[in-house]
Amino acid sequence: MTSLANLRVIDAATLFAGPSAAMMLGDFGADVIKIEHPRRGDPSRGHGASLDGVGLWWKSLSRNKRAAAVDLSQAGGQEILRRLAANSDVLVENFRPGTLERWGLAPADLLELNPRLIVARMTGFGQHGPMARQPGFGTLAEAMSGFAAMTGQPDGPPTLPPLALADGIAGLAMSYAIMVALHAREQTGRGQVIDMAIIEPILGLLGPQMTAYKALGVVPRRTGNRSSSNAPRNTYRTRDGRWLAVSTSAQPIAERVVTLVGRADLVEQPWFGSGSGRVEHVDELDEAVAGWIAERDAEEVIARFEEVQAAVAPIYDVTDIAKDPQYEALGTFVELPDEELGTVTMQNVLFRLSDTPGEVRWPGRGLGHDTDEVLGELAYTPEEIADLRGNGVIA
């Protein structure tokens, strides 16, 4: 049994944030129907690395989803979405505000068809406000949230992440919002509309920057790999050229680290008793830790840290991740059969449930792979399906 086995989700979103939320629901058994344009497909098919012309990001992002190719800008496609919405629990969409309304598919209309429907709207800037109708992507959220301003070296430029960070955070937040709305439906019997702006969830992960700014006028600054909240916290190079990360967020860990590197005297300093106090003396702390680590190979450093129960980890790239025994023990990656590529490896579900575990059942499928099956479930006849295909409404 899977947790969401009786849930049907329409994924009519593109690229990353909305589809990520739908993917997480599919990982735990929801029947996710991915709607793509019949000629262009989802843009994520062309993002990132590919093998034999097949996008690998798509394989992971659209796993566990049935692929239906429907042109929602045509009347026939709009009728398909109405029928789907009437028989589904969740619709995830990320069209610019006003698009669904222009197509006669406004949330109010869909909720009239199905009062229990959850309409999850994911846009760059939300459904109202001066920027609502502007194109919005995760990169803009990373810029506008303060993330880029506080990321990078102190004397360097603001730095954007090399991944779809804001989209991923928004996807996690949307999956949570959907589950909250579904739980509320159990109490009220009614669905509702979720309005999520990608610029907002990333703000929540950056800490109480607005609270500190309003109370104290604090504007976060770039600190490189250091932390503005505790020290020592940095990356350090070993004698054999490896890079290690050290964290001392907890006071006892900070005490163990400086004692290990031969500076137990620092623990007695009055400023050492708090993270903010240690930040004021970060140069002295970093010098002690960096010097000690630089005189030893990575294997020895890690072993010594483990002996005193201090927090250290090697800086990995994907070649290290692929052979790490902890990831192997957790079953973090799965290899799946694939109709296009033979086999494909991807990350497993994000967490383990003891009674109703999730599962990656299949990778992302080819364009229109399940269109006929989905329309058949909506009572379309083979002749009607052929007519829709002939008119370019489906693929």
Side-chain angles (χ1 to χ4, degrees):
M1 176 183 175
T2 51
S3 307
L4 305 177
N6 297 320
L7 200 68
R8 172 170 281 185
V9 177
I10 309 165
D11 175 7
T14 55
L15 290 176
F16 306 115
S20 293
M23 179 199 75
M24 293 174 213
L25 301 178
D27 282 350
F28 287 88
D31 175 20
V32 181
I33 300 172
K34 174 66 183 179
I35 303 296
E36 301 177 79
H37 193 280
R39 288 167 292 284
R40 296 192 298 267
D42 189 290
S44 65
R45 287 184 180 272
H47 275 252
S50 64
L51 176 62
D52 298 331
V54 178
L56 300 179
W57 204 332
W58 166 264
K59 287 295 176 183
S60 179
L61 186 64
S62 291
R63 67 198 197 186
N64 294 335
K65 300 179 184 180
R66 294 197 285 166
V70 180
D71 185 351
L72 297 178
S73 68
Q74 296 195 47
Q78 293 156 12
E79 177 58 25
I80 291 171
L81 187 63
R82 289 189 192 93
R83 292 199 198 183
L84 274 172
N87 294 278
S88 297
D89 299 281
V90 180
L91 166 64
V92 181
E93 64 93 5
N94 71 336
F95 297 105
R96 287 197 206 182
T99 301
L100 285 185
E101 288 79 358
R102 188 173 70 251
W103 289 341
L105 300 170
D109 298 326
L110 298 178
L111 285 164
E112 188 172 340
L113 287 172
N114 178 2
R116 291 176 57 81
L117 183 67
I118 308 298
V119 181
R121 314 194 79 175
M122 178 80 81
T123 57
F125 305 110
Q127 295 295 315
H128 60 274
M131 297 184 69
R133 292 181 180 269
Q134 295 188 25
F137 299 95
T139 297
L140 307 189
E142 290 144 13
M144 292 178 63
S145 64
F147 175 87
M150 66 176 70
T151 302
Q153 295 301 321
D155 56 352
T159 302
L160 294 167
L163 71 160
L165 179 65
D167 286 289
I169 295 170
L172 283 163
M174 180 60 90
S175 65
Y176 165 65
I178 289 169
M179 297 310 298
V180 170
L182 288 169
H183 183 71
R185 190 178 73 174
E186 293 300 308
Q187 323 305 315
T188 67
R190 300 189 307 275
Q192 58 183 301
V193 179
I194 300 168
D195 174 11
M196 181 168 292
I198 296 174
I199 59 173
E200 290 184 305
I202 188 172
L203 276 168
L205 291 212
L206 295 179
Q209 60 171 331
M210 186 57 68
T211 305
Y213 172 69
K214 289 293 187 180
L216 303 169
V218 173
V219 178
R221 57 186 178 85
R222 291 187 286 284
T223 59
N225 290 317
R226 289 175 168 177
S227 169
S228 60
S229 302
N230 68 84
R233 188 266 200 177
N234 212 328
T235 60
Y236 305 95
R237 195 170 190 178
T238 64
R239 182 170 59 188
D240 55 346
R242 295 294 304 273
W243 286 94
L244 305 178
V246 172
S247 174
T248 59
S249 297
Q251 181 69 22
I253 301 297
E255 295 174 3
R256 293 169 195 166
V257 168
V258 297
T259 300
L260 174 64
V261 303
R263 292 301 308 273
D265 59 295
L266 295 176
V267 177
E268 305 303 321
Q269 297 296 322
W271 51 263
F272 195 87
S274 69
S276 58
R278 296 196 302 275
V279 168
E280 294 177 0
H281 295 79
V282 64
D283 290 336
E284 182 178 4
L285 290 167
D286 259 351
E287 182 180 356
V289 176
W292 187 88
I293 288 177
E295 296 173 351
R296 292 161 175 81
D297 291 345
E299 185 176 355
E300 179 188 352
V301 174
I302 293 172
R304 296 285 298 277
F305 266 69
E306 289 178 350
E307 285 175 9
V308 300
Q309 298 184 46
V312 67
I315 304 294
Y316 276 177
D317 63 22
V318 71
T319 63
D320 302 303
I321 295 169
K323 59 189 178 185
D324 182 82
Q326 183 61 33
Y327 285 125
E328 182 178 358
L330 292 173
T332 302
F333 301 98
V334 292
E335 186 174 276
L336 302 165
D338 181 74
E339 293 180 355
E340 296 174 296
L341 301 177
T343 60
V344 61
T345 300
M346 65 184 63
Q347 187 170 341
N348 208 338
V349 299
L350 294 183
F351 49 87
R352 288 157 290 278
L353 295 180
S354 60
D355 291 345
T356 56
E359 179 186 11
V360 183
R361 302 182 298 282
W362 63 79
R365 291 172 166 173
L367 183 65
H369 182 282
D370 304 290
T371 303
D372 289 16
E373 178 181 87
V374 170
L375 266 61
E377 294 170 359
L378 300 175
Y380 281 89
T381 67
E383 293 76 19
E384 289 173 322
I385 293 172
D387 186 56
L388 288 166
R389 182 165 285 115
N391 290 323
V393 177
I394 63 172

